[in-house]
Amino acid sequence: MSENQHGMTELMYQYAASGSLTMAEAKKMLHENAYIRAANETLAKYCRVDPADLPALKKRVAALLLESDPGQNRDSVEKKVRTWVNNRVQFISRESALQLAFALHLPVKDTEEMLWRLCGEGFHWRDPQDIIWLYALEHGMDYAEARALDRRLAPAYQPSGGDDPGTMTETIRAQARQIREEEELADFLRENAPHLGALHNTAYMLFTEFMELLKSAPLEDSLPDERKMPAREIVTTYLYNHLIPRASRSKGGKALDKTAADAIRRDIQQNWPDEFALARMANRETDVTRKALILLFLACDGGETSYGDYADDSPESVFEDTYARLSSMLADCGFPPLDPRIPFDWMVLYCMVAEDYTDIDEKIPRFLAEIFPESADAEEV
């Protein structure tokens, strides 16, 4: 991020925290300053190429990919890179990003940052394959050596008991960081196979607690109090699913939209959780998403977890208190912090400015109605 971009990010954070903007002004500021980063900007940063020199960037990226895996078809690689750069896609495949990281000899910290920017996710220390990638990076291997290592160790990490929800990432990380030899790595993967998996357990634990709390919330109907609120009601009552247009929802996230308004709408609606998505997360068929976890956190103010509000008195600033607890949760789950120049994150920051956390529940649907007026109009009808 350039110095100017960093300055604008800080300025937008200050505006959000000030509480001085009306809903219309918040929307206007988002339209003027939203920053949807294209993959070619990140590629240029790590490849040390002028982002304005697109031919040089395409040549450099293609060369790195071919260097990391010489067996690839040159024409296919060059075509893929042209698509990334010319179409200003937002994300690229994780495999390609890892190839580039190894070819650039990036340290683990820089590789993870690049993965967040290019793929929307970093490393997961409970994923056995990621543990192997991390070991390979830390031991100076190239991409071909890392893939060969993964093939050799694959039999060692086949899980026997499924994805153990009781094992936290930090426990595995602390143990994995002590590994120095390939034999130690194989033993570690074999011994911990039942506890390893690709899903985020801390996020899943919180997701489960938030969902149970919302399901048990008092219902304004004549049915017995013990009735649990179904997921369909949760996504409408607490996640405002009815305000997110369905026809144009996208589960991809590849090419950027042509206008700023389109990009803003797309960022907010992309992967907005509905009842089917929540069911898949609950059944561990897919990972808990950052967006779903943030919305659930706001719906119950952190609930009865360690990220809940346990202050005896009302905090001097609801915003600062909520922001600190939400930031801590995201960090502990391995998710990136809130970025005020990302549309969804800007909405969250703006709506967290309130006299009481319950006011947040009123601001979010009003903000969404500003972004998606067609949904609000349909609801009124």
Side-chain angles (χ1 to χ4, degrees):
M1 182 182 293
S2 70
E3 185 175 344
N4 287 341
Q5 291 166 357
H6 180 78
M8 181 54 67
T9 298
E10 180 62 28
L11 179 63
M12 288 190 71
Y13 171 84
Q14 292 173 2
Y15 268 114
S18 72
S20 63
L21 298 178
T22 65
M23 194 70 68
E25 289 171 337
K27 177 184 176 182
K28 182 174 184 291
M29 188 166 198
L30 178 60
H31 276 257
E32 292 176 349
N33 300 294
Y35 184 63
I36 311 296
R37 182 187 291 111
N40 60 326
E41 297 175 48
T42 300
L43 293 171
K45 169 184 168 66
Y46 288 97
C47 294
R48 299 184 181 279
V49 176
D50 181 353
D53 191 347
L54 298 185
L57 177 60
K58 285 182 276 192
K59 182 178 180 180
R60 172 66 169 153
V61 172
L64 288 167
L65 290 174
L66 290 166
E67 174 189 326
S68 66
D69 188 1
Q72 299 175 100
N73 179 277
R74 175 177 292 274
D75 290 340
S76 296
V77 171
E78 292 178 344
K79 180 180 178 180
K80 177 170 62 177
V81 174
R82 283 197 302 272
T83 300
W84 294 346
V85 176
N86 294 344
N87 293 352
R88 286 181 55 80
V89 301
Q90 191 173 358
F91 301 120
I92 69 173
S93 72
R94 199 166 190 267
E95 180 181 359
S96 294
L98 283 168
Q99 281 185 253
L100 290 171
F102 278 97
L104 290 165
H105 306 289
L106 296 179
V108 169
K109 182 179 178 181
D110 289 347
T111 298
E112 182 149 50
E113 181 184 77
M114 189 175 76
L115 286 175
W116 274 118
R117 294 187 178 196
L118 290 177
C119 311
E121 61 175 342
F123 286 117
H124 182 205
W125 280 90
R126 281 188 56 256
D127 186 326
Q129 195 164 42
D130 272 7
I131 293 173
I132 293 172
W133 290 125
L134 287 157
Y135 176 89
L137 283 167
E138 291 182 336
H139 287 75
M141 295 182 178
D142 60 28
Y143 181 70
E145 291 171 331
R147 289 186 63 185
L149 177 66
D150 181 49
R151 286 194 295 270
R152 289 197 300 274
L153 297 182
Y157 66 71
Q158 297 305 315
S160 58
D163 197 353
D164 179 5
T167 305
M168 296 298 106
T169 299
E170 284 305 315
T171 303
I172 295 296
R173 186 204 303 260
Q175 298 172 0
R177 283 188 178 279
Q178 304 302 315
I179 298 171
R180 295 291 178 266
E181 303 291 338
E182 182 178 331
E183 186 175 346
E184 288 181 58
L185 179 59
D187 290 340
F188 175 82
L189 294 172
R190 191 176 298 109
E191 292 168 6
N192 289 278
H195 310 299
L196 301 177
L199 303 182
H200 291 75
N201 275 351
T202 303
Y204 178 74
M205 176 190 70
L206 293 168
F207 168 86
T208 301
E209 291 194 37
F210 293 155
M211 286 293 292
E212 283 302 311
L213 183 61
L214 295 177
K215 286 178 182 178
S216 303
L219 300 173
E220 298 179 359
D221 57 29
S222 58
L223 297 176
D225 291 341
E226 61 268 19
R227 182 172 80 91
K228 292 280 190 177
M229 179 179 285
R232 182 177 301 176
E233 289 185 50
I234 289 176
V235 297
T236 300
T237 305
Y238 298 109
L239 306 187
Y240 322 106
N241 187 57
H242 55 295
L243 294 175
I244 306 298
R246 290 182 175 273
S248 57
R249 286 187 179 190
S250 169
K251 295 189 181 294
K254 306 306 176 187
L256 293 175
D257 297 275
K258 294 182 179 180
T259 69
D262 287 340
I264 288 168
R265 289 165 59 92
R266 185 173 181 275
D267 178 84
I268 292 175
Q269 70 186 150
Q270 181 179 314
N271 296 322
W272 191 279
D274 56 22
E275 62 181 297
F276 303 107
L278 292 182
R280 286 174 57 80
M281 293 177 204
N283 294 329
R284 307 221 77 178
E285 296 173 16
T286 187
D287 214 351
V288 175
T289 64
R290 177 180 182 270
K291 186 170 289 186
L293 196 63
I294 289 174
L295 290 170
L296 290 171
F297 170 92
L298 294 176
C300 53
D301 194 30
E304 298 176 358
T305 70
S306 59
Y307 308 101
D309 182 6
Y310 292 105
D312 293 332
D313 301 312
S314 297
E316 181 178 348
S317 170
V318 172
F319 175 85
E320 292 176 2
D321 174 73
T322 308
Y323 177 78
R325 291 186 288 111
L326 177 55
S327 297
S328 177
M329 182 190 75
L330 292 174
D332 290 346
C333 291
F335 291 129
L338 293 174
D339 182 341
R341 296 191 69 189
I342 295 176
F344 174 78
D345 288 9
W346 168 255
M347 177 191 76
V348 170
L349 286 166
Y350 174 76
C351 293
M352 284 196 312
V353 179
E355 293 184 4
D356 185 89
Y357 89 88
T358 55
D359 293 338
I360 298 173
D361 295 336
E362 299 177 3
K363 292 182 72 174
I364 292 178
R366 287 170 49 213
F367 189 97
L368 291 174
E370 286 282 342
I371 302 297
F372 306 107
E374 68 274 23
S375 295
D377 292 343
E379 185 182 27
E380 290 180 6
V381 172

